[in-house]
Amino acid sequence: MAEINNTNDKQLFTYEQVYKVDFDAATGSKIAVVVLMSVFFVYINGIMLFALRSKPIFHETPRYILFAHMLFNDSVLLLVTTVMYAMSLALLHMAKGICWLLVLISSCTFQNAPLTLAVMSLERYVAICYPLRHSTIATQKNTAIAIGILWFLSSLNFVIDIIYEFITDSNQLVKITFCTREKLFMAKWQADKAQGFEILYFLSVTVIIIFTYISIMVAARSVSSNKDSAKKAHKTVLLHLIQLGLCLTSFLYGTIERTLYMISGSSSSLFIHLRYLNFLIVLILPRCLSPLIYGLRDDAIRHLFKYYFCYATSKVKPAVNVF
């Protein structure tokens, strides 16, 4: 245990030395780009959320409730990860209690993304394969319960770590630390547990989305009536599979960063540039694509989004047909 802790401390110390050497105006401008990019897409998500609140039908339709949850989840994730990234470059130390809160939010929202995609795919599966039971299964109450279960599952791994830390040291909250998950939880079993949760969740989500994709594809070919609806659901689940792939790339962020650190060797400047590209392309960009991949292809949301984004001065709102 002590050897592992010493290794992590040495790695953190090395990262801090890298930042002290290379945190210049160029690095600051790169952080500004990341912040502006995140804020812009949070703004886009906010407009879509406002559009979803503007029509009562969106509050009652499970797939739009889940989409609103996905937009909110990705927005929080973008904001928190951007703040933590900026703080890491500023070498800002803080109380562990505050750091735990930030890491808890980022971890939960990170895990929520693929789990929400799985629930959205199941909702489309029920709508196409069991249309007569859809109204009794996919209700507002059941959707709210499903979202609650998502947050429970996404927080389970982190809550276990917090309970363990409190048992081993009850004064953890007031200690000052450099805020990263690796610095908070340095035991090898904690890293292995976190990796196990990630693998379990992603394998489960992948199986669910592939199963629903195949089932809807079979239904679209076998059912003579309502083929347009089945084809549309088939495309929606395919988009969920693409989004899952984008989420999966985010899980490679830590591995890629460690690889880049080893590749850069003694060149701290090269590591800073590579780390920036890794954060921007692998972690931030996939979260920014959710409204573009899913929201703007939906006719009902697209028309309202255009109205609120471009034509808010118009006196006539676009007509919305959800079904």
Side-chain angles (χ1 to χ4, degrees):
M1 179 75 72
E3 183 178 351
I4 295 172
N5 292 351
N6 289 337
T7 302
N8 285 340
D9 288 336
K10 289 177 182 178
Q11 185 180 38
L12 177 62
F13 175 78
T14 306
Y15 280 3
E16 292 179 354
Q17 294 301 321
V18 167
Y19 295 142
K20 286 178 181 178
V21 172
D22 287 279
F23 190 77
D24 52 13
T27 303
S29 64
K30 291 178 181 179
I31 299 305
V33 170
V34 172
V35 171
L36 291 175
M37 182 178 176
S38 298
V39 170
F40 174 74
F41 278 97
V42 169
Y43 173 67
I44 297 296
N45 290 354
I47 293 177
M48 287 194 177
L49 284 170
F50 186 79
L52 290 172
R53 286 180 57 85
S54 65
K55 297 290 183 179
I57 189 65
F58 291 138
H59 309 169
E60 304 165 2
T61 308
R63 73 173 183 267
Y64 290 113
I65 295 173
L66 291 169
F67 179 56
H69 174 260
M70 183 175 68
L71 290 174
F72 172 77
N73 183 82
D74 286 351
S75 298
V76 173
L77 178 61
L78 281 173
L79 288 175
V80 174
T81 52
T82 301
V83 168
M84 293 184 67
Y85 181 69
M87 288 192 305
S88 69
L89 287 182
L91 295 176
L92 182 63
H93 290 65
M94 63 182 66
K96 271 194 173 183
I98 299 175
C99 185
W100 275 355
L101 179 61
L102 292 174
V103 176
L104 173 63
I105 295 173
S106 64
S107 298
C108 289
T109 51
F110 185 79
Q111 296 280 5
N112 268 339
L115 296 175
T116 302
L117 291 176
V119 177
M120 294 173 75
S121 297
L122 287 173
E123 188 275 332
R124 289 293 82 201
Y125 165 75
V126 173
I128 299 303
C129 299
Y130 302 96
L132 298 179
R133 300 179 58 187
H134 179 259
S135 60
T136 58
I137 296 176
T139 63
Q140 287 178 272
K141 180 180 178 180
N142 289 342
T143 304
I145 292 173
I147 291 175
I149 293 174
L150 293 184
W151 281 93
F152 170 76
L153 291 175
S154 63
S155 64
L156 185 59
N157 173 45
F158 192 82
V159 169
I160 293 174
D161 288 330
I162 291 179
I163 293 174
Y164 171 78
E165 294 296 325
F166 267 116
I167 293 175
T168 55
D169 187 354
S170 59
N171 297 320
Q172 290 284 339
L173 286 176
V174 296
K175 289 186 176 180
I176 304 299
T177 185
F178 185 72
C179 189
T180 64
R181 183 183 178 88
E182 290 74 20
K183 186 63 177 175
L184 287 179
F185 310 116
M186 296 183 293
K188 185 178 184 303
W189 70 267
Q190 291 174 312
D192 294 338
K193 173 179 59 63
Q195 188 176 28
F197 270 101
E198 291 174 359
I199 293 173
L200 175 62
Y201 287 159
F202 259 93
L203 284 178
S204 301
V205 171
T206 302
V207 170
I208 289 172
I209 292 182
I210 292 176
F211 168 75
T212 54
Y213 176 80
I214 295 174
S215 299
I216 291 174
M217 186 170 59
V218 171
R221 292 179 178 178
S222 60
V223 179
S224 57
S225 62
N226 204 19
K227 280 193 173 183
D228 290 339
S229 179
K231 188 179 294 185
K232 190 178 294 185
H234 167 261
K235 291 181 180 179
T236 299
V237 176
L238 180 59
L239 287 175
H240 291 170
L241 196 59
I242 295 173
Q243 284 180 277
L244 178 66
L246 293 174
C247 290
L248 185 59
T249 61
S250 300
F251 273 87
L252 301 176
Y253 174 77
T255 302
I256 294 175
E257 179 168 310
R258 287 189 293 271
T259 303
L260 294 176
Y261 180 74
M262 291 186 291
I263 292 175
S264 60
S266 59
S267 176
S268 58
S269 177
L270 177 61
F271 174 70
I272 288 292
H273 295 316
L274 293 177
R275 186 176 189 263
Y276 168 76
L277 292 175
N278 183 38
F279 179 78
L280 187 67
I281 297 173
V282 177
L283 198 62
I284 293 296
L285 190 59
R287 305 302 179 181
C288 296
L289 294 177
S290 291
L292 302 179
I293 289 177
Y294 190 89
L296 294 182
R297 67 174 289 273
D298 188 287
D299 292 335
I301 299 177
R302 184 172 64 251
H303 293 311
L304 281 172
F305 175 79
K306 287 181 178 179
Y307 169 77
Y308 287 114
F309 188 72
C310 303
Y311 313 116
T313 57
S314 175
K315 294 182 179 180
V316 180
K317 291 186 179 182
V320 177
N321 183 16
V322 176
F323 302 100

